[in-house]
Amino acid sequence: MTVSWMPDWVTHPGTSFTLRSGAHEWRGERPDDWDAIGAGLRAAHERLRALPVRRIVAAFDEVADRWAKRDFAPRRAVVRDASLVTGMSEETVDRALDAEVGNLRAESLLAALTRELGDPEVLDGFRGGTTAVGPGVTLAVFSGNVPGLPARSLVRALLVKSGVIAKIPAKEPHFAAAFLRTLHDVEPALADAVVATYWDRDDEASITAALAHADAVIVYGGDQACAAVRAKVRPDQVYEEHAHKFSFGLISAEYAARHGPAEVARRIAADCSDFDQHACLSPQVYLVGAEHARAVAQHLADAMRRAAADCPPGTVEAHDAIALQHRRLVAEWRAATSDTSEVWAPDGLEWTVLLEDSLLPLSGAGDRVARIVPVPDLPAAVELVRPYARHLQNVGLGAVGEEFRRVGRELAVLGASRICAPGAMTKPSMSWRHDGQPRIAGLVRWADVELHPELESE
């Protein structure tokens, strides 16, 4: 199966590569002549400059309309293949694509452009004495196994009329090429401004060659992987990084009393079940007011069971299964020696609920493990997570009134870049300033006209 995308103007793709996951193989092409790729993408960037931004938005809206249909043949193929390589169930992959594709509708894109640029048409020329110019070429290095993840950065770069070199993620290699084929059917100039390929992490020649032709660099991955790329970035290159992140939830006593433990549990179960809890936005733990924590945990076991029946969990890889079984055993031992700890779980590994009396050990999210830790109040909860502030990303904040505003501000100061309602942690909009920075405006360079008589004619 082909996993890379080469636009029509690439006449000599270069070297073939093979990605393997278990018994499955996915093949593609990697450029040999990066100078030709760089020149081709800059020519494509010049062609994109002639496209009005609203025409670009309309093209993505049409692509999103096609991909929104679950019976769309390219989508069905991606869902099947992504399920094989990620281990997620097809329903989980479908829901991931529903979320990502929903963000690509015209209303969503125009809202994001307006929020970050004021007037989207500054990308077409001078408006009110100012204009915004996107990079000639953007290098986007993707990682992770959440289907559809590359869409956001691909779309942002193309909205600002940049050519793109996209390093596809090894753990989910299908979406980008399939998405670009549909984009080519709708607006060829956009798809022709992207080269989507792959190289191994230790392939220094490819990353160095790609970086040489980039004006902007976007990197997803762990701290070490991001640091390795960051060390190669030139001072003149725009750099955007999405490294290791930590997300969690908070439930105040008043919020739990207002909504009831069963409803709170349903919302927590949604956050801990979406994407099998493998997204950075997924909570690693929920800190709950002590007087409601056990009741929420008890209802959470039923809620996790219902979520698994509604959207089956994927397969757990052997080494992850061993780690999860060990985690359960440790939790069960702690529960046997503590009146404040308990474990709920089926015979299989479909889901796990842990009521624990301590935030530590904090061993990472994944595979539908819902941890509940009682806290005396929300200020105490904020202090508990303070040591993780450097990696803090997303908080599901269950609070009301003045407490919501006060704690929300404290979380923002601490480092959170997104605060949402419990149950919505894995559903960010395109208007979210991803990891706390404007990701559309952050790509562009501005030019202002000042002290010029021609301004008077506008």
Side-chain angles (χ1 to χ4, degrees):
M1 283 174 250
T2 302
V3 301
S4 56
W5 165 264
M6 298 287 174
D8 294 340
W9 50 262
V10 178
T11 56
H12 300 289
T15 306
S16 62
F17 64 81
T18 301
L19 292 175
R20 294 182 177 86
S21 178
H24 307 286
E25 292 187 350
W26 293 266
R27 295 181 175 84
E29 299 291 332
R30 178 166 51 247
D32 281 336
D33 190 345
W34 282 100
D35 288 339
I37 291 296
L41 287 174
R42 291 190 182 279
H45 163 65
E46 292 301 317
R47 292 190 290 273
L48 285 188
R49 290 178 58 201
L51 286 182
V53 66
R54 290 184 183 273
R55 179 171 166 180
I56 295 173
V57 168
F60 285 126
D61 187 71
E62 173 61 26
V63 172
D65 186 64
R66 298 184 188 187
W67 274 81
K69 300 176 176 64
R70 287 199 173 191
D71 61 353
F72 183 50
R75 171 168 171 157
R76 293 276 29 99
V78 164
V79 168
R80 181 187 64 248
D81 292 338
S83 179
L84 286 173
V85 72
T86 65
M88 294 179 179
S89 69
E90 291 196 8
E91 179 62 22
T92 297
V93 176
D94 263 322
R95 294 189 184 194
L97 292 181
D98 287 342
E100 292 300 329
V101 169
N103 277 317
L104 305 185
R105 304 311 300 255
E107 181 180 8
S108 176
L109 297 182
L110 288 172
L113 285 165
T114 301
R115 183 176 193 184
E116 294 204 15
L117 304 179
D119 180 353
E121 291 176 4
V122 294
L123 292 165
D124 298 334
F126 282 101
R127 301 277 290 184
T130 190
T131 189
V133 182
V137 177
T138 297
L139 168 63
V141 179
F142 296 109
S143 68
N145 63 350
V146 177
L149 177 65
R152 288 173 178 261
S153 291
L154 275 176
V155 169
R156 288 176 184 137
L158 291 171
L159 282 171
V160 300
K161 308 183 183 184
S162 176
V164 182
I165 301 170
K167 178 184 179 291
I168 58 176
K171 291 186 177 180
E172 206 300 280
H174 305 95
F175 172 79
F179 180 82
L180 289 167
R181 291 186 186 100
T182 307
L183 185 59
H184 189 270
D185 292 340
V186 173
E187 188 66 75
L190 285 169
D192 284 347
V194 182
V195 169
T197 185
Y198 176 80
W199 55 80
D200 295 328
R201 181 179 297 183
D202 58 356
D203 185 349
E204 293 290 326
S206 290
I207 184 64
T208 300
L211 279 166
H213 296 284
D215 303 298
V217 182
I218 302 170
V219 183
Y220 290 78
D223 288 346
Q224 289 184 337
C226 288
V229 177
R230 191 191 321 127
K232 301 177 185 296
V233 173
R234 303 189 309 269
D236 62 294
Q237 291 172 313
V238 173
Y239 181 69
E240 174 184 324
E241 180 176 290
H242 302 285
H244 171 68
K245 295 298 177 183
F246 165 69
S247 298
F248 71 99
L250 298 180
I251 301 293
S252 74
E254 186 176 352
Y255 183 91
R258 175 175 295 189
H259 295 282
E263 175 58 20
V264 170
R266 185 193 66 79
R267 297 177 186 186
I268 294 175
D271 288 337
C272 295
S273 299
D274 288 348
F275 310 143
D276 288 347
Q277 207 184 11
H278 289 303
C280 291
L281 294 165
S282 300
Q284 295 194 21
V285 63
Y286 253 92
L287 305 174
V288 180
E291 59 265 52
H292 298 283
R294 180 172 291 277
V296 168
Q298 289 171 332
H299 284 283
L300 186 53
D302 289 334
M304 293 293 285
R305 184 182 298 109
R306 290 194 298 271
D310 181 51
C311 183
T315 57
V316 181
E317 294 186 10
H319 63 281
D320 292 328
I322 293 171
L324 178 52
Q325 289 166 337
H326 179 262
R327 190 175 181 184
R328 280 185 179 179
L329 286 172
V330 171
E332 288 168 354
W333 179 84
R334 289 170 62 89
T337 59
S338 169
D339 293 333
T340 56
S341 299
E342 197 163 345
V343 179
W344 295 263
D347 292 336
L349 300 178
E350 296 86 359
W351 55 269
T352 306
V353 174
L354 306 176
L355 176 63
E356 300 184 302
D357 55 11
S358 171
L359 182 63
L360 296 176
L362 196 62
S363 55
D367 302 317
R368 305 196 185 198
V369 177
R371 292 185 67 214
I372 302 296
V373 174
V375 290
D377 52 37
L378 292 194
V382 173
E383 290 306 310
L384 271 180
V385 299
R386 189 172 296 280
Y388 309 98
R390 185 167 68 93
H391 293 293
L392 183 57
Q393 182 181 57
N394 183 32
V395 181
L397 177 56
V400 297
E402 180 56 32
E403 185 176 41
F404 170 81
R405 287 181 282 275
R406 184 181 68 255
V407 174
R409 175 62 180 173
E410 290 177 8
L411 291 168
V413 171
L414 189 63
S417 64
R418 182 172 182 264
I419 299 168
C420 65
M425 290 188 68
T426 61
K427 300 175 177 63
S429 72
M430 280 293 284
S431 293
W432 170 44
R433 297 179 178 95
H434 195 166
D435 289 340
Q437 298 296 324
R439 298 309 183 183
I440 297 173
L443 288 174
V444 303
R445 175 179 55 82
W446 293 87
D448 299 317
V449 176
E450 292 188 317
L451 304 177
H452 197 291
E454 288 299 318
L455 276 178
E456 299 174 3
S457 65
E458 293 193 4

